[in-house]
Amino acid sequence: MHHTPIYVHPEGHEITVGQGLITACTAEGIALSMPIGPDGLAALGAALLEHATTAAQEESERAGAALGTDLSSELFALRGRPQAETFRAVNEALRALVKLEHPDSAAGGFAAAIVNVLELGIANLPKFDGEAAE
């Protein structure tokens, strides 16, 4: 009976395929097998690839949001400091952002983290009616 491992977890769990079966086995040796043919394997493979891509995009979005949150905190801490320090913080955050996998997802998470802070800051800017103060 020949089964080809298609996934082996570091803790010993594994998934194998062979003789028309897909088998998931725990490290303790508990196994569950299901019949699967070539079309089923292809559909499973496509679904797993889609799920892996979606999971990676979600991870990139979370990483982008973390960068945005950290930048907002850092900018708050830099209030009153020279502008060069603020620009350096923004530059470093943007450099880290572009290195993340799935840039669109990462940028979305980054934007979501900073947009509310920017809107709040803009809403609280001093209001001027165009007349000089006396």
Side-chain angles (χ1 to χ4, degrees):
M1 190 173 202
H2 179 74
H3 289 276
T4 304
I6 57 171
Y7 173 74
V8 178
H9 189 275
E11 294 178 7
H13 316 292
E14 71 177 21
I15 298 173
T16 61
V17 175
Q19 298 185 329
L21 296 174
I22 184 166
T23 303
C25 187
T26 67
E28 296 79 23
I30 300 169
L32 172 67
S33 294
M34 295 176 54
I36 193 163
D39 290 343
L41 282 172
L44 176 61
L48 289 172
L49 284 173
E50 183 177 333
H51 180 73
T53 299
T54 301
Q57 288 171 328
E58 290 172 358
E59 182 59 33
S60 290
E61 187 174 338
R62 283 191 294 275
L67 283 172
T69 300
D70 290 348
L71 176 61
S72 295
S73 297
E74 187 172 0
L75 292 176
F76 183 76
L78 288 172
R79 282 186 321 165
R81 305 284 302 157
Q83 261 189 343
E85 291 182 41
T86 302
F87 289 137
R88 181 190 44 74
V90 171
N91 186 14
E92 287 175 6
L94 293 176
R95 285 182 183 271
L97 180 65
V98 299
K99 291 179 183 176
L100 294 176
E101 189 178 1
H102 300 286
D104 288 347
S105 297
F110 185 84
I114 64 171
V115 165
N116 287 340
V117 174
L118 291 173
E119 286 178 343
L120 182 60
I122 290 168
N124 289 307
L125 285 174
K127 306 287 188 253
F128 295 99
D129 60 7
E131 295 180 20
E134 296 185 30

